[in-house]
Amino acid sequence: MTIAAHIYPQFKILLVDDEIPFLRSTLLSFERHGFTNLVSCSQPEQVPSLMNEHNIGLVLLDLTMPNVSGKELLTWLNEEYPDVCVIILSGINQLDTAVECVKLGAFDYFVKTSDPSEILEGLKRAIRTQELSIENQALRRKVLSNDVFSPEAFTRFVTADANMWSIFQYLESIATTRHPVLIMGESGVGKELIAQATHDLSQRKGPLITVNIAGLDDNIFADTLFGHNKGAFTGADKDRSGLIEKASEGTLFLDEIGDLSASSQVKLLRLLQEGEYYPLGSDKPKRSQARIIVATHQNLEHLQIEGKFRKDLYYRLKIHMVTIPPLRHRLSDLPILIEHFIKQACEDMSIDTLSYDNSLPSQLSHYAFPGNTRELKSLIFDAVSRSQNGQLNKSAFKHLFVQDSLLEQQEPVAIFPNNTRLPTLSALADQLVKEAMNRSNNNQSTASQMLGISQPALSKRLKNMNKTGR
């Protein structure tokens, strides 16, 4: 029994065959293709102890062996380790035998004389299946626990929003996998922070390398990511490593993936599918040891429907996907964000913390914040820089509103012309409720603050309006 140095996958692959030369050649073949977390066994009776000792997620099993047959082991594995994938790799080329093994629980069946590339593809499929199974189990445990076990990874986020904390839970569940992560969300919602948190949770040894690929043409994209060999093009006077190599055993974060050209999309797809890339000017592939995270403010599903983004790349990227809600959809965070940014700005400017009008969060909730949290931070910093006498200067927010100035009370004007019939008090109240719900994006807590009533009172009024069809 030998144990290979482990790099990939995260679980061990057990090869069981009584033919030692075949074991050795198979181990070498797998290692050359990047599968190095291997255990080999030439004595099938040792399999139970090996399963107990090691974190084995995949077994490649011969059928014809002394003492214990492959079918006996397959049946035992299916009963004792039902979550472990088993691939039969046998010298028996009979359809009936293959069908019987699949019925007994085998994931796949290959004849030893099959094309090696077919066996490798079957191995990749089994690994992907097992990885997804492990991730799903972790995700189920996370959902059931309803806890975030590493809150320190999310200290850059100022939020009490339930949707955001659900995202944090999900990131914890997928952080240690090798699969790519797709981060969707408008500009300013914190996609870079999500990428950083995912990298921190991954426990990967290498660094987080970030590149914004918007505007990169095909050649610059390839050179930036893959690097080049000396003489690859005019001016290439020495070898240069690409960002994938610099992110080895770490994370490569590609921002604005929606702007990637069609040709570059093909190159990225091959990297994700094969785990290999070619530096410019080289005919020898290199194995990628970087985890890929991508982000975009665009809707990739719409882009692929329009033919602007490859469907196969989109589905490869969306294995793990998070969508960060815009600030206007989590207005309950406004009070703590305002307080946080005021404190941060005062510290940066070396002044005492400013006080502010308690109505400010409610007033700002009227605004859509197209720039999201980043825009709010800029507004607060600007307001603090203008402030005097220990009070936040609200003039920085004046331009956000046309009709509802936060600073000035206009002279009262008649909103009902003399020649029109006045609405009843009940009808006018309904109009106010509808307007408040519209301005708050249907957030009852914020709308009730605008109206000066309790949330239960607003909820009761909305139910009555729905019943009467008003």
Side-chain angles (χ1 to χ4, degrees):
M1 189 266 296
T2 60
I3 300 179
H6 61 86
I7 298 175
Y8 176 74
Q10 60 180 305
F11 50 82
K12 290 187 181 295
I13 302 173
L14 173 61
L15 288 81
V16 185
D17 199 304
D18 61 314
E19 297 179 16
I20 295 178
F22 178 78
L23 275 181
R24 289 174 178 170
S25 63
T26 305
L27 282 172
L28 288 173
S29 175
F30 285 177
E31 287 175 348
R32 281 197 301 269
H33 288 85
F35 307 105
T36 53
N37 196 3
L38 306 171
V39 180
S40 65
C41 174
S42 60
Q43 300 178 40
E45 62 270 16
Q46 293 182 355
V47 168
S49 61
L50 290 174
M51 294 297 297
N52 185 53
E53 292 171 13
H54 301 287
N55 176 31
I56 294 174
L58 174 60
V59 177
L60 277 78
L61 189 62
D62 187 19
L63 286 181
T64 307
M65 296 180 292
N67 300 324
V68 182
S69 71
K71 287 183 182 179
E72 289 178 280
L73 281 176
L74 174 59
T75 301
W76 178 82
L77 286 166
N78 192 43
E79 292 175 354
E80 298 294 327
Y81 295 90
D83 294 332
V84 172
C85 282
V86 179
I87 293 178
I88 300 299
L89 191 55
S90 172
I92 301 175
N93 187 9
Q94 294 179 359
L95 179 59
D96 291 345
T97 303
V99 171
E100 183 183 0
C101 288
V102 171
K103 288 181 177 179
L104 289 173
F107 178 82
D108 214 333
Y109 186 104
F110 291 99
V111 180
K112 290 180 179 180
T113 55
S114 299
D115 187 333
S117 63
E118 293 182 6
I119 297 175
L120 286 170
E121 284 303 313
L123 181 65
K124 292 177 184 178
R125 286 195 300 270
I127 290 174
R128 286 196 292 266
T129 299
Q130 191 66 3
E131 286 176 338
L132 288 173
S133 175
I134 293 170
E135 292 162 22
N136 288 336
Q137 292 174 27
L139 183 56
R140 283 196 296 270
R141 290 194 298 270
K142 184 69 66 177
V143 170
L144 290 173
S145 70
N146 200 31
D147 287 325
V148 171
F149 295 108
S150 302
E152 66 278 2
F154 304 103
T155 54
R156 300 177 187 87
F157 295 89
V158 180
T159 181
D161 183 73
N163 290 331
M164 289 297 294
W165 282 94
S166 294
I167 289 173
F168 298 161
Q169 289 178 323
Y170 179 69
L171 291 176
E172 281 191 331
S173 300
I174 66 170
T176 59
T177 75
R178 292 174 57 92
H179 294 297
V181 180
L182 170 60
I183 305 171
M184 309 272 283
E186 297 177 5
S187 296
V189 294
K191 296 188 291 294
E192 302 88 346
L193 297 181
I194 290 290
Q196 180 67 63
T198 306
H199 171 71
D200 293 343
L201 289 165
S202 72
Q203 302 177 359
R204 297 180 71 84
K205 298 177 182 178
L208 172 69
I209 302 294
T210 300
V211 57
N212 189 317
I213 58 178
L216 297 185
D217 64 28
D218 295 333
N219 291 330
I220 296 177
F221 172 80
D223 189 29
T224 300
L225 263 64
F226 308 143
H228 63 253
N229 286 357
K230 180 179 178 181
F233 51 83
T234 303
D237 53 356
K238 60 181 180 180
D239 292 350
R240 187 178 73 84
S241 299
L243 295 184
I244 292 176
E245 189 166 343
K246 293 180 180 179
S248 179
E249 297 190 14
T251 303
L252 180 64
F253 174 46
L254 306 178
D255 202 4
E256 300 302 344
I257 192 73
D259 294 330
L260 203 59
S261 69
S263 178
S264 294
Q265 288 178 35
V266 174
K267 296 171 184 175
L268 178 59
L269 176 63
R270 187 186 187 283
L271 172 69
L272 295 174
Q273 285 181 332
E274 306 299 331
E276 296 177 345
Y277 64 95
Y278 289 85
L280 297 182
S282 173
D283 57 359
K284 295 182 179 180
K286 287 188 174 182
R287 189 79 186 171
S288 171
Q289 298 296 332
R291 203 267 187 89
I292 305 294
I293 297 179
V294 302
T296 181
H297 69 280
Q298 301 186 60
N299 189 317
L300 294 188
E301 186 171 0
H302 289 172
L303 290 181
Q304 61 98 3
I305 291 174
E306 295 170 359
K308 298 178 181 178
F309 201 86
R310 293 182 64 97
K311 292 182 180 180
D312 45 6
L313 177 57
Y314 172 65
Y315 285 107
R316 176 70 67 175
L317 291 173
K318 68 172 290 188
I319 292 175
H320 297 311
M321 180 173 67
V322 294
T323 300
I324 313 304
L327 180 56
R328 62 182 175 277
H329 290 170
R330 49 187 183 95
L331 292 174
S332 59
D333 277 345
L334 269 178
I336 57 176
L337 283 169
I338 291 170
E339 186 171 340
H340 171 76
F341 289 140
I342 289 176
K343 181 179 180 181
Q344 190 179 77
C346 290
E347 289 176 353
D348 288 356
M349 299 176 196
S350 300
I351 60 177
D352 294 334
T353 301
L354 302 173
S355 60
Y356 63 95
D357 188 340
N358 290 335
S359 66
L360 182 60
S362 176
Q363 292 170 320
L364 284 178
S365 67
H366 298 189
Y367 181 58
F369 284 104
N372 292 288
T373 308
R374 184 186 297 145
E375 181 181 9
L376 175 63
K377 179 179 180 179
S378 297
L379 289 168
I380 295 295
F381 270 63
D382 184 31
V384 169
S385 69
R386 301 183 190 188
S387 299
Q388 295 178 344
N389 303 321
Q391 182 73 23
L392 184 71
N393 187 336
K394 291 167 39 175
S395 63
F397 311 113
K398 185 177 181 179
H399 69 284
L400 302 181
F401 309 98
V402 177
Q403 296 178 343
D404 298 308
S405 173
L406 297 179
L407 304 168
E408 300 175 356
Q409 290 294 330
Q410 303 269 339
E411 287 294 325
V413 296
I415 59 175
F416 303 110
N418 291 332
N419 59 347
T420 61
R421 182 177 178 178
L422 289 174
T424 65
L425 287 176
S426 178
L428 185 58
D430 288 349
Q431 291 179 30
L432 285 172
V433 168
K434 291 177 181 178
E435 180 63 19
M437 291 297 291
N438 181 55
R439 293 189 181 191
S440 66
N441 288 295
N442 293 316
N443 186 306
Q444 291 190 22
S445 177
T446 303
S448 63
Q449 294 178 25
M450 294 180 188
L451 296 169
I453 61 176
S454 68
Q455 185 172 343
L458 175 59
S459 180
K460 183 178 180 180
R461 179 173 286 274
L462 287 169
K463 288 180 180 176
N464 290 335
M465 290 170 60
N466 289 334
K467 287 180 180 178
T468 59
R470 300 202 303 267

